[in-house]
Amino acid sequence: MIVGNGPAGTNAIEQIRNIDPTGKIILIAQEANLPYSRITTPEYMTNELEEQDMYIRDADFYENYGVETRLGHRAEQVRVLENAVILENGEKIAYDKLLIATGSRPFIPSWIDLEVEGVFSLWNKADSEEINSFLPQVKNAVIIGGGLVGLQAARVLNACGIKVSVVEMANRLMPGQLDQAAADMLLKALGNHGVQVLLGTEVKSLQVKENKVEGVQTIDHFLEAELVITAVGVRPNLDFLTESGVQIEKGIVVNEFMQSNVPTIYAAGDIAQAASLLTGESMLRALWLTAVQQGKIAGASMAGSRTAYPGSHAMNSIQLFGLPIISLGRIEGGSGVEEVILSQPSSGVYQKLLLENGCLTGLLFAGEVQEAGVLYHKLGQLLNQGYWGSLRVLDVEDMLA
């Protein structure tokens, strides 16, 4: 049984079928859709992308892979002693092995009321559709959060001719993915497109009249807005595992086979706390590529294979306001870390490698990113002498499956 219909669950299904063509697979998913990419929700929100282009598998996917589905249903409880999952409608479904791949949900600050007209989160397909129907009355929008989702939303709204302001508590955009130099390049790109950015700024409240949002109040500014989108982070969907006996720290703690402390239960994707490739530290990594890789390992493990997961690492590949950026592994130096600057931002191209004892432990490229893919497989390994050394170019399928 698999709970979750994102990249982890989808890749697990395929991997199980590669090994076991006939075993029964039951899929439970809260959303009643084919698997789709959450990365595309901002583009879908403004009709930049059509609905069919969101989906990552064809309409006959479940039939072709022999999957029995419970789409549009939520797992309410896992009863470990009974090897069963209870749905919100009371249905009880038994399993031999269970993969939990329920992903994340947006974190909503306490002062945000999503019942107010014009106030939204942007996470799933339904959010995109609700915002889309609201856009005709919007002239000014405020995005709360300068991370990837918030900046993607800012880009598509700006392209629609809406005046956009971004409010970020940190002193730079995308602080988890970019260093100061790359973030400054991105800030300049937003400014060139007329997007206002307030850094080091905290929203104090929303101004609401007759249950309609009129703007956002920070300590120093009032920003007029008919549309407010909150994008300040995510939390793993683990509430239904309360009292299940599954070991949870920040996420479900798993071994190298994506197996939890309960031998029949596996986890993959945003909710799995797995080892880091570079440090060995057990951690969450809410990234698409991580979910794909972990889903494949979990599926293979459930079907009887013992392929070990090598560990997760940070990887972000984006293009925002005309600026392509790739970050991989570490993004900033520290004790024992050598920063090798290949190109300075003043040239319009910023390229930096991070090395520890001669091993590549991170890179950050902005403006020109083609060679980053060539370096992907050198992460954690020695960079040989010569131009990059002996490298294998990464298959596009490996990165985007």
Side-chain angles (χ1 to χ4, degrees):
M1 180 187 297
I2 297 172
V3 183
N5 198 24
T10 300
N11 279 273
I13 289 170
E14 293 173 338
Q15 201 68 10
I16 290 169
R17 278 289 175 254
N18 286 340
I19 300 168
D20 179 359
T22 60
K24 186 175 183 179
I25 300 175
I26 299 175
L27 173 70
I28 299 167
Q30 185 167 351
E31 294 183 65
N33 303 301
L34 284 167
Y36 69 92
S37 170
R38 295 194 192 281
I39 300 168
T40 62
T41 53
E43 286 80 7
Y44 179 53
M45 174 183 74
T46 61
N47 297 325
E48 192 173 295
L49 193 75
E50 294 186 11
E51 179 179 354
Q52 62 265 27
D53 295 323
M54 298 183 73
Y55 298 120
I56 60 175
R57 297 295 184 271
D58 294 334
D60 56 0
F61 172 72
Y62 302 121
E63 182 180 353
N64 288 345
Y65 281 84
V67 179
E68 181 182 323
T69 61
R70 300 289 194 282
L71 300 182
H73 289 286
R74 185 180 69 255
E76 193 75 23
Q77 185 184 12
V78 174
R79 294 182 182 172
V80 171
L81 296 179
E82 301 175 41
N83 280 3
V85 172
I86 309 301
L87 304 187
E88 91 292 341
N89 62 1
E91 184 180 3
K92 179 180 177 180
I93 309 175
Y95 63 83
D96 295 317
K97 294 180 181 179
L98 170 65
L99 172 61
I100 300 172
T102 46
S104 298
R105 64 182 183 277
F107 170 71
I108 307 299
S110 58
W111 45 266
I112 287 283
D113 184 355
L114 296 178
E115 298 302 315
V116 172
E117 187 176 329
V119 179
F120 299 90
S121 65
L122 177 55
W123 184 244
N124 57 29
K125 182 171 175 285
D127 292 335
S128 297
E129 291 166 350
E130 288 181 20
I131 297 172
N132 177 268
S133 65
F134 189 77
L135 284 181
Q137 55 192 296
V138 176
K139 295 181 179 179
N140 304 280
V142 171
I143 311 296
I144 303 172
L148 178 56
V149 173
L151 295 182
Q152 286 178 309
R155 184 194 66 78
V156 296
L157 292 172
N158 173 261
C160 290
I162 294 171
K163 182 182 178 183
V164 180
S165 299
V166 176
V167 181
E168 169 57 48
M169 286 184 63
N171 64 356
R172 65 178 187 253
L173 294 169
M174 298 185 65
Q177 295 84 26
L178 306 180
D179 67 4
Q180 191 65 56
D184 286 345
M185 291 179 70
L186 182 55
L187 180 64
K188 182 178 179 181
L190 266 73
N192 289 342
H193 283 79
V195 176
Q196 179 184 18
V197 179
L198 280 66
L199 297 174
T201 302
E202 185 176 357
V203 174
K204 304 305 292 184
S205 63
L206 302 179
Q207 180 165 309
V208 178
K209 184 177 181 181
E210 296 178 353
N211 204 47
K212 291 185 178 181
V213 70
E214 293 188 329
V216 169
Q217 184 65 56
T218 72
I219 294 175
D220 302 316
H221 299 84
F222 176 75
L223 303 172
E224 182 181 354
E226 300 82 33
L227 172 66
V228 173
I229 296 177
T230 178
V232 293
V234 297
R235 297 290 184 271
N237 285 318
L238 295 171
D239 295 349
F240 67 102
L241 292 173
T242 303
E243 301 179 0
S244 67
V246 174
Q247 183 185 358
I248 296 174
E249 293 176 1
K250 292 181 179 178
I252 299 174
V253 179
V254 295
N255 62 17
E256 68 271 33
F257 304 111
M258 308 312 295
Q259 188 175 34
S260 76
N261 65 307
V262 179
T264 55
I265 296 181
Y266 298 75
D270 292 9
I271 48 86
Q273 187 175 320
S276 164
L277 175 68
L278 296 176
T279 68
E281 177 188 359
S282 179
M283 64 187 300
L284 290 176
R285 190 87 74 182
L287 295 172
W288 182 273
L289 182 61
T290 300
V292 169
Q293 293 171 335
Q294 291 181 352
K296 289 178 178 179
I297 295 292
S301 298
M302 294 170 74
S305 174
R306 298 295 281 177
T307 304
Y309 179 56
S312 67
H313 57 265
M315 180 178 177
N316 292 275
S317 177
I318 54 174
Q319 178 154 330
L320 290 166
F321 297 94
L323 181 68
I325 300 172
I326 288 182
S327 63
L328 177 65
R330 294 188 66 125
I331 59 170
E332 296 194 271
S335 177
V337 180
E338 177 188 4
E339 291 193 349
V340 180
I341 306 297
L342 305 177
S343 183
Q344 294 285 0
S346 57
S347 69
V349 174
Y350 177 50
Q351 296 183 330
K352 179 177 76 171
L353 304 180
L354 296 101
L355 306 176
E356 296 180 55
N357 299 318
C359 292
L360 180 70
T361 57
L363 64 81
L364 181 52
F365 286 10
E368 176 55 64
V369 301
Q370 283 183 321
E371 288 169 325
V374 180
L375 287 165
Y376 175 85
H377 278 289
K378 297 298 286 186
L379 190 69
Q381 300 180 24
L382 286 169
L383 270 186
N384 300 332
Q385 297 299 315
Y387 187 70
W388 303 141
S390 178
L391 304 175
R392 179 179 78 82
V393 177
L394 177 70
D395 277 335
V396 172
E397 294 177 342
D398 294 339
M399 298 180 67
L400 301 178

